[in-house]
């Protein structure tokens, strides 16, 4: 039954999508920092600072952090990435889904630490001088709920916060939401309009460089169904249902999610994928370009 639903979902998404060819992936994907960031553990959702010298990601099973579900950091010196360490704002709980703001001054992330609204909440932490971090700040009830919020991502112009949530009132499972940002103050969140949210799980979304097109992950359920990445185009404030991306972002026999716009290169996407026969989820970068239909 799940297989039939998956086929129906893909067909529906393809039929409603904008004409193919608007988003083109260029060349092969590059595995990011093998042995430093991409290891035998699960590494997910790579985000890079605007100067390209700092990389953040999270792992749910890499030893060495305070909670096991931790955010990691590496700094680039010349053409080499330094050994990775857990960030100082990790907690004993779940800390994940980091995302640099476009100016590199703030990192958004998720956590289930004490003091939140309930479940996994959205937080941010300032990036201070010499690469130090400030104190984490919960984004509050205008975007957080008693349910789970995942994968915050600030648009390139800083005006919209994109994330997913399984709160009540959605289309089903996790849906994609956005909240306008006035300065650093989030406004009430609303589900993305159009056909992008379905009865499946929609999560791990990123704006592309145009601030409108969305790349996101979709699965029938977490844990047992395959995860694929889609692209959805925006028309008059509404996103279509999207269509599955080609290789290398989706490959047979493996999951793919955690897409993020590369903060150091607006023509590059980062993402995580489990290749057939591989031990865990690795981090990748791939270039893209937008073309007119």
């Amino acid at each position: 039954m799940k297989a039939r639903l998956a086929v129906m979902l893909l067909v529906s998404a393809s039929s409603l999508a904008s004409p193919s060819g608007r988003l083109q992936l260029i060349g092969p994907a590059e595995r990011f920092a093998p042995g430093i960031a991409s290891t035998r553990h699960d590494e997910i959702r790579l985000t890079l600072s605007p100067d390209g010298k700092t990389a953040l990601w999270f792992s749910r099973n890499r030893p060495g952090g305070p909670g096991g579900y931790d955010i990691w950091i590496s700094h680039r010196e010349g053409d080499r990435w330094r050994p990775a360490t857990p960030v100082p704002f990790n907690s004993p709980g779940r800390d994940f889904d980091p995302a640099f703001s476009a100016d590199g001054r703030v990192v958004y992330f998720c956590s289930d630490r004490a003091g939140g609204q309930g479940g996994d909440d959205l937080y941010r932490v300032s990036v201070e001088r010499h690469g130090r971090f400030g104190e984490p700040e919960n984004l509050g009830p205008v975007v957080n709920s008693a349910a789970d919020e995942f994968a915050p991502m600030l648009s390139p112009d800083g005006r919209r916060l994109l994330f997913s949530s399984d709160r009540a009132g959605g289309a089903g499972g996790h849906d994609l939401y956005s909240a306008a940002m006035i300065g650093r103050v989030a406004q009430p969140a609303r589900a993305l309009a159009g056909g992008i949210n379905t009865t499946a799980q929609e999560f791990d979304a990123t704006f592309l460089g145009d601030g409108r097109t969305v790349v996101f992950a979709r699965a029938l359920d977490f844990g047992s169904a395959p995860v694929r990445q889609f692209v959805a185009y925006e028309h008059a404030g509404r996103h279509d249902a999207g269509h599955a991306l080609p290789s290398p972002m989706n490959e047979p026999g493996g999951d793919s999610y955690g897409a993020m716009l590369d903060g150091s290169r607006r023509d590059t996407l980062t993402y995580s994928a489990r290749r057939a026969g591989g031990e865990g989820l690795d981090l990748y970068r791939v270039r893209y370009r937008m073309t007119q239909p």
Side-chain angles (χ1 to χ4, degrees):
M1 182 64 178
K2 287 183 178 179
R4 289 183 61 192
L5 285 171
V7 171
M8 291 171 63
L9 189 61
L10 292 177
V11 169
S12 174
S14 297
S15 65
L16 292 174
S18 298
S20 61
R22 291 189 61 189
L23 170 64
Q24 292 185 350
L25 303 178
I26 303 172
E30 169 196 7
R31 187 165 172 252
F32 180 78
I36 302 294
S38 296
T39 70
R40 63 186 179 87
H41 304 290
D42 288 333
E43 277 86 26
I44 305 163
R45 209 166 192 246
L46 170 67
T47 182
L48 290 140
S49 60
D51 63 6
K53 294 182 179 181
T54 303
L56 297 171
W57 66 93
F58 87 93
S59 177
R60 59 193 176 199
N61 56 6
R62 184 169 179 162
Y69 225 99
D70 297 302
I71 298 171
W72 291 74
I73 187 169
S74 176
H75 297 286
R76 183 168 60 85
E77 294 183 1
D79 60 354
R80 294 187 179 183
W81 289 95
R82 301 295 299 163
T85 58
V87 297
F89 56 87
N90 282 318
S91 73
R94 290 159 44 97
D95 299 286
F96 60 106
D97 285 349
F100 274 108
S101 60
D103 60 11
R105 296 178 180 177
V106 178
V107 172
Y108 290 82
F109 69 101
C110 301
S111 181
D112 68 349
R113 64 188 61 199
Q117 306 298 316
D120 296 314
D121 277 2
L122 307 184
Y123 285 78
R124 65 183 166 208
V125 60
S126 61
V127 181
E128 300 180 347
R129 296 182 62 184
H130 308 298
R132 293 186 175 89
F133 295 99
E135 290 297 319
E137 173 191 2
N138 188 289
L139 294 190
V142 293
V143 293
N144 290 314
S145 71
D148 290 329
E149 281 73 42
F150 292 171
M153 189 272 180
L154 201 61
S155 60
D157 64 7
R159 295 180 178 178
R160 295 175 70 193
L161 181 70
L162 180 65
F163 64 97
S164 73
S165 177
D166 62 351
R167 66 189 61 188
H174 268 256
D175 291 320
L176 299 180
Y177 290 78
S178 72
M181 299 291 290
I182 300 177
R184 293 188 61 184
V185 179
Q187 307 304 301
R190 300 179 181 275
L192 292 190
I196 191 169
N197 289 319
T198 70
T199 55
Q201 307 279 355
E202 282 83 30
F203 62 105
D204 278 12
T206 182
F207 288 114
L208 296 187
D210 62 5
R212 298 173 58 196
T213 307
V214 172
V215 170
F216 66 100
R218 176 180 278 151
L220 286 175
D221 58 64
F222 289 138
S224 61
V227 187
R228 297 291 181 263
Q229 301 210 60
F230 290 72
V231 58
Y233 301 103
E234 184 263 344
H235 305 274
R238 300 176 65 83
H239 282 86
D240 60 45
H243 63 268
L245 287 166
S247 174
M249 288 191 72
N250 287 320
E251 299 280 8
D255 292 331
S256 182
Y257 51 99
M260 274 289 297
L261 183 66
D262 186 334
S264 65
R265 294 192 58 169
R266 295 285 181 89
D267 65 348
T268 301
L269 280 168
T270 71
Y271 66 99
S272 303
R274 188 191 313 276
R275 301 306 185 205
E279 289 188 89
L281 285 156
D282 284 340
L283 302 170
Y284 293 88
R285 299 169 82 187
V286 65
R287 293 183 60 214
Y288 76 90
R289 65 179 168 223
M290 300 296 291
T291 63
Q292 294 300 316

